[in-house]
Amino acid sequence: MLALIPLAPLLGFLVNAFLGKRLPKSTAGGLASAAMLAAFGVSVVAVWRLAALPADARAIEQTVYTWIASGDFVLDLTLRLDPLSAVMILVITGIGSLIHIYSTSYMHDEIDSEFARYFSYLNLFAAFMLILVLGANFLVLFVGWEGVGLCSYLLIGFWFRKKSAADAGKKAFVVNRIGDYAFILGTLLIFVRFGTLDFQQLAAAIATMPAETAAFGVISIATLLLFIGATGKSAQIPLYVWLPDAMEGPTPVSALIHAATMVTAGVYMIGRNAVLFSHAPATMLIVAMIGVVTALVAGTIGLVQNDIKRVLAYSTVSQLGYMFLAMGMGAFGAGIFHLYTHAFFKALLFLGSGAVIHALHGEQDIRNMGGLKRYLPVTYWTFLIGSLAIAGVPGLAGFFSKDEILFETFAAGHWIFWTMGVVTSLLTATYMFRLVFLTFHGERRHDAPAPEHPEEESHAAPPHAAPPHPAPPHGGHLHDAPPAMAMALIVLALGSVLAGYVGVPHALGGENRLATWLAPSFQPPSAAAVEVFEGEAEAVGEEEHAALEVTLMIVSSAIALLGIGLAAFIWLKRRDIADSMSRQFAGVHRLLLNKYYVDEIYDATVVKPIVMASREGLWRGFDVRVVDGAVNGTGTLVTAGSSMLRRLQTGSVLTYAGSMFVGVVVILGYYLWR
């Protein structure tokens, strides 16, 4: 059944891509949504069957066909379902189905062909993402890895006549190719060293080897190259710059690709190769360091952004940093746990921002909002739940997963990383509730349209800001999310509350079922090697750490509430404080507002030199003189030779007969002479 999971959205893509122009919107959107729901249904059945197997034998494989056979090397296109990929396919198909349903309303004002094109891209992305997480070896994973990169480019640049959207799509594609180049090198190095690309065979081979603690060896180099690939796909320093610009795509795209699925591919890849990375402690330290620095830097940038989607974009970068911190600490289960909970509340926040933008006919600047709580009750309350969850308020999903990461970091003795994580938590609560208060509370500000008949439902188009997709002018009435959008928001809000309860730690009287479920995926396949690789499920809930864990939870919860209170005081009570601080610390504010000028630095040091070298050196020197010279020279040579040969074709039969006679005499003379 495994092949049916990616096959369903792939078939949806084919139908909408080739027949979509002839289909009405309801059919195109319904078909794409049905494909995702079918994939979700098959996923549930497959995971149910997996759960029925003994804990030490939870794996289902399906070999679709033999892909590569060269000498002794044989590589099959094999799909493998285990506890880790089970969590991923449920997230991808479950949340993906909600986002498809949401999109049927959000994108309804597109013309029929564009509507079908959008859903074909969305289905294709889901198919590739499912191949990525179900792949049993590096090459199958890489097919999905490159496929989601392609679909990201197509969806970010969906409104391709808008220059900023087209540029953002190209930026995402190029930056991801840099990471993918390193990923390919890491994969090749693993194959040369171990002779296999199968994850299980690789884990079994490495499990018997000692960890590279004394030197930076082959395993460390290979894992570092793989991690560079992960920094591109999962938007970590230094390859994070594409994700904020990716907000140029439609908002449901941001929810699906840049919150719940594609950007988590790097985290998943490290978890899939947990045994490999565990034998490279130097790389693990680099992973943790990059993750926590990215989390902190993105948090400071998010504190001053004014575009509602860009605040959430930097929040995504920051939360991904938390996941990489967990992976670097060896707390693989905690990282996947946060991936799982983050998918709910971040998808909810992005879709909630889409409902706000939809209601305001394209407005995205939170300084032009305010007072929307009264007119958008469903959007407000669901958005508030998502904000509480990401802030880490006790009882919601984000509280359990984030605090498990912080506890694992503190327990590992990395106090500096833990402190940076706590500061990031404070920033997260502050900027998220700055967003909530400026958007929904207070009085409505200057550019927002006046509310008229808020109980009525509007069919205004989502923001396009491009010639082929004009947004309606301001002045329409405010409206809450239409039914399809509201349903997705409510389901995701429930998930943002309840999803964390599958991982309640032992310190709070829980069983941490998710850690127990995931543990076999992070262990070598051989039972003998398990004893040298301790699963974190055992370490997380040890009794001697219970008091420490509860203490750290209290600290981080207090930090979250402090951030919310700080945001309420500044942006509800004393807005003048924020204005005076931005003036008093104008340099710092300008630095954060301009995102530390990283884009400008890359442009000056990388982009412009390459462009100049291409135009002046490569183009004028090599392309014009060598490449064009060779092509033009070949043409000139053929022309000259043809003009000479043409003279021999006189059209005279006597001349041809004479030529043949001379030729015969020459040939006969040669043989007689021999």
Side-chain angles (χ1 to χ4, degrees):
M1 294 181 65
L2 297 185
L4 296 178
I5 299 173
L7 185 62
L10 182 61
L11 291 176
F13 156 73
L14 292 173
V15 173
N16 269 325
F18 291 101
L19 302 176
K21 291 182 179 180
R22 303 188 182 114
L23 298 176
K25 290 178 185 176
S26 58
T27 303
L31 176 68
S33 301
M36 285 305 298
L37 288 169
F40 177 66
V42 177
S43 298
V44 169
V45 173
V47 174
W48 185 270
R49 291 181 176 178
L50 183 73
L53 298 173
D56 58 349
R58 281 186 181 142
I60 299 172
E61 285 195 0
Q62 178 183 356
T63 298
V64 181
Y65 64 89
T66 298
W67 183 7
I68 299 172
S70 177
D72 295 333
F73 176 68
V74 177
L75 187 136
D76 296 325
L77 199 163
T78 302
L79 305 178
R80 187 173 192 273
L81 183 68
D82 69 350
L84 175 58
S85 53
V87 172
M88 296 300 296
I89 63 172
L90 291 177
V91 168
I92 295 165
T93 57
I95 294 181
S97 297
L98 293 174
I99 293 171
H100 276 69
I101 294 169
Y102 178 100
S103 296
T104 59
S105 178
Y106 188 86
M107 301 295 290
H108 193 265
D109 287 299
E110 298 291 334
I111 61 175
D112 289 359
S113 59
E114 296 292 275
F115 191 81
R117 180 168 68 91
Y118 169 82
F119 277 101
S120 69
Y121 291 166
L122 221 56
N123 270 178
L124 183 63
F125 166 80
F128 276 125
M129 190 68 202
L130 290 165
I131 290 172
L132 189 157
V133 299
L134 287 171
N137 57 65
F138 272 102
L139 282 192
V140 177
L141 179 146
F142 189 68
V143 169
W145 188 276
E146 289 297 288
V148 295
L150 168 66
C151 294
S152 175
Y153 162 76
L154 294 172
L155 285 164
I156 293 168
F158 177 75
W159 291 314
F160 56 87
R161 291 184 178 87
K162 181 182 176 185
K163 186 178 185 303
S164 58
D167 289 345
K170 289 184 288 186
K171 184 176 183 178
F173 194 81
V174 171
V175 172
N176 272 273
R177 295 294 74 71
I178 296 169
D180 293 349
Y181 182 71
F183 186 91
I184 293 170
L185 292 178
T187 301
L188 292 175
L189 183 58
I190 287 170
F191 177 69
V192 170
R193 175 64 178 83
F194 297 100
T196 182
L197 293 174
D198 184 88
F199 295 128
Q200 291 297 100
Q201 294 176 15
L202 179 64
I206 291 174
T208 59
M209 300 173 60
E212 292 182 344
T213 54
F216 203 82
V218 174
I219 296 177
S220 298
I221 295 171
T223 51
L224 184 60
L225 289 169
L226 293 177
F227 173 61
I228 293 172
T231 63
K233 199 65 69 185
S234 296
Q236 298 294 286
I237 290 174
L239 301 179
Y240 71 95
V241 292
W242 66 270
L243 193 142
D245 288 5
M247 298 303 106
E248 292 290 341
T251 302
V253 171
S254 303
L256 179 64
I257 295 183
H258 308 120
T261 51
M262 190 193 91
V263 291
T264 62
V267 180
Y268 166 80
M269 184 271 295
I270 294 178
R272 173 55 66 209
N273 294 283
V275 180
L276 176 67
F277 275 82
S278 296
H279 281 68
T283 300
M284 294 279 279
L285 183 61
I286 293 172
V287 171
M289 187 182 305
I290 293 294
V292 74
V293 171
T294 301
L296 184 59
V297 168
T300 59
I301 297 174
L303 198 59
V304 300
Q305 297 301 304
N306 296 311
D307 184 299
I308 187 171
K309 288 177 65 177
R310 283 186 177 264
V311 174
L312 298 177
Y314 281 105
S315 170
T316 299
V317 176
S318 184
Q319 296 302 307
L320 288 166
Y322 267 120
M323 298 175 206
F324 279 103
L325 171 62
M327 293 301 186
M329 292 292 100
F332 301 108
I336 299 300
F337 187 18
H338 197 56
L339 181 159
Y340 159 72
T341 59
H342 176 264
F344 283 96
F345 56 71
K346 186 51 64 66
L348 169 62
L349 290 169
F350 267 116
L351 295 186
S353 72
V356 171
I357 295 167
H358 193 270
L360 298 180
H361 309 305
E363 181 60 71
Q364 293 187 202
D365 194 325
I366 58 177
R367 294 170 297 183
N368 296 335
M369 299 180 187
L372 300 180
K373 173 184 175 182
R374 175 184 172 189
Y375 305 104
L376 311 177
V378 173
T379 302
Y380 169 70
W381 288 109
T382 54
F383 196 93
L384 179 63
I385 290 171
S387 300
L388 291 169
I390 195 174
V393 172
L396 280 79
F399 164 76
F400 297 105
S401 57
K402 184 192 70 176
D403 281 293
E404 186 174 341
I405 293 173
L406 292 175
F407 166 68
E408 292 284 354
T409 303
F410 191 92
H414 292 277
W415 293 18
I416 295 177
F417 290 172
W418 177 83
T419 303
M420 295 171 71
V422 169
V423 172
T424 302
S425 179
L426 175 65
L427 293 173
T428 302
T430 305
Y431 67 66
M432 281 308 305
F433 276 85
R434 168 183 177 263
L435 178 60
V436 170
F437 295 142
L438 289 180
T439 302
F440 294 100
H441 289 257
E443 299 296 326
R444 291 185 55 261
R445 290 178 288 278
H446 52 87
D447 248 356
E452 297 173 16
H453 311 295
E455 70 281 358
E456 293 180 353
E457 182 181 305
S458 169
H459 299 286
H464 303 311
H469 310 286
H474 285 281
H477 60 264
L478 287 173
H479 56 91
D480 207 349
M485 295 167 61
M487 185 273 291
L489 293 175
I490 292 169
V491 174
L492 289 171
L494 291 173
S496 299
V497 174
L498 302 175
Y501 287 92
V502 299
V504 177
H506 295 276
L508 295 181
E511 299 180 15
N512 207 339
R513 293 184 180 88
L514 186 65
T516 304
W517 168 262
L518 289 170
S521 296
F522 307 134
Q523 297 172 348
S526 63
V530 172
E531 53 193 38
V532 297
F533 183 89
E534 293 184 4
E536 59 152 335
E538 300 175 66
V540 170
E542 292 178 356
E543 291 184 7
E544 57 267 30
H545 293 309
L548 174 62
E549 189 170 4
V550 172
T551 302
L552 294 177
M553 284 182 182
I554 293 172
V555 171
S556 60
S557 299
I559 291 292
L561 296 175
L562 175 63
I564 295 172
L566 187 64
F569 178 72
I570 294 176
W571 285 285
L572 284 183
K573 302 291 185 183
R574 296 288 304 276
R575 283 287 304 279
D576 58 299
I577 294 179
D579 297 334
S580 63
M581 288 183 67
S582 63
R583 289 192 299 268
Q584 185 176 355
F585 301 99
V588 176
H589 183 265
R590 190 161 49 248
L591 181 68
L592 298 180
L593 197 60
N594 288 281
K595 303 157 288 187
Y596 293 100
Y597 296 98
V598 172
D599 282 304
E600 289 78 3
I601 292 171
Y602 282 178
D603 190 57
T605 59
V606 179
V607 178
K608 287 182 179 177
I610 290 176
V611 172
M612 290 294 293
S614 299
R615 288 177 178 170
E616 301 301 326
L618 185 63
W619 179 65
R620 294 184 185 278
F622 184 78
D623 192 54
V624 174
R625 295 178 183 176
V626 178
V627 177
D628 289 355
V631 173
N632 295 335
T634 301
T636 302
L637 187 63
V638 170
T639 301
S642 300
S643 63
M644 294 178 61
L645 291 172
R646 187 180 58 191
R647 299 176 187 275
L648 300 177
Q649 303 299 321
T650 62
S652 170
V653 176
L654 290 175
T655 302
Y656 297 157
S659 299
M660 290 175 64
F661 177 75
V662 171
V664 170
V665 170
V666 170
I667 292 171
L668 288 175
Y670 171 76
Y671 280 105
L672 290 173
W673 178 77
R674 290 292 300 260

